[in-house]
Amino acid sequence: VTGRAPADCLAQQTADALHSADDYASIPVHDAFLAAGYAAQNDTEAVIGHIAFRRDWLERIGVKVEKARIARVRGDSMSPTLHDDDMVLIDTSAREIPIRRRGPEDRRLPPIYAVNTDDGPRIKRVERPEKGWLRLLSDNNEFPVEDLTGDGLKRAEIIGKVVWWGHTARE
């Protein structure tokens, strides 16, 4: 009757349902780079675009839409997990690093955070072995562990926890 095959109608209905504005949240992409290696310089944090994420997925992982931000990675200290120019979704409400003492058998990797230090905005795995001490760790073993204590720790600001990342496959 419509001149379209049933499969075409189903595909269109599926596309219409997926693009429902109520199902997706538009997360801002900031014109900012987080250094995975040596410090990146950000002259601006202007919003340069948006990426849509399903609201139910954000809710399931505990991220409020208004606290979600996207930035890019610059450098290779976090490879092979994160690569230069990857996008990361940051939960800016997750700014507290819990104290966690690791035993010699503990193989769990610390979570990844965006952190602003004296060296600029960075992206690292972050541990807090005890009060007054943060450890910044890289996945790339060529980069040393950095310990923040005293004034360096006081000046450090946790931007938020990285909850998602994506990168383009390159040949």
Side-chain angles (χ1 to χ4, degrees):
V1 172
T2 64
R4 294 178 8 188
D8 293 338
C9 292
L10 180 59
Q12 183 61 51
Q13 289 171 345
T14 302
D16 290 345
L18 287 174
H19 292 96
S20 168
D22 291 338
D23 291 341
Y24 288 87
S26 182
I27 307 300
V29 178
H30 289 267
D31 187 16
F33 286 92
L34 302 166
Y38 302 102
Q41 296 299 318
N42 294 311
D43 297 322
T44 178
E45 289 188 15
V47 173
I48 57 171
H50 289 81
I51 295 179
F53 286 86
R54 288 192 56 89
R55 288 181 186 278
D56 59 345
W57 178 76
L58 290 167
E59 184 177 318
R60 193 167 49 247
I61 65 170
V63 176
K64 294 183 178 174
V65 171
E66 64 275 8
K67 295 295 186 177
R69 301 290 182 270
I70 296 173
R72 289 193 177 274
V73 173
R74 178 66 72 222
D76 64 351
S77 76
M78 290 301 294
S79 71
T81 306
L82 300 172
H83 302 277
D84 186 50
D85 210 36
D86 281 358
M87 289 186 165
V88 291
L89 176 64
I90 302 165
D91 178 1
T92 63
S93 71
R95 300 175 66 146
E96 293 294 320
I97 311 291
I99 292 175
R100 182 177 132 205
R101 291 188 178 93
R102 292 173 45 146
E105 300 298 316
D106 190 348
R107 302 280 184 231
R108 294 176 295 166
L109 293 173
I112 299 173
Y113 284 86
V115 183
N116 202 3
T117 68
D118 288 341
D119 293 327
R122 325 253 315 274
I123 188 160
K124 297 288 182 187
R125 292 193 183 276
V126 179
E127 286 186 321
R128 186 174 175 210
E130 59 188 56
K131 187 176 179 174
W133 180 16
L134 278 184
R135 300 196 94 191
L136 305 180
L137 302 108
S138 301
D139 285 0
N140 182 337
N141 291 331
E142 294 181 20
F143 291 81
V145 172
E146 300 172 60
D147 291 320
L148 297 179
T149 59
D151 288 340
L153 177 59
K154 288 178 187 172
R155 289 189 300 272
E157 175 192 7
I158 303 298
I159 298 167
K161 186 176 183 180
V162 174
V163 296
W164 173 92
W165 56 84
H167 56 257
T168 302
R170 294 183 177 92
E171 307 231 354

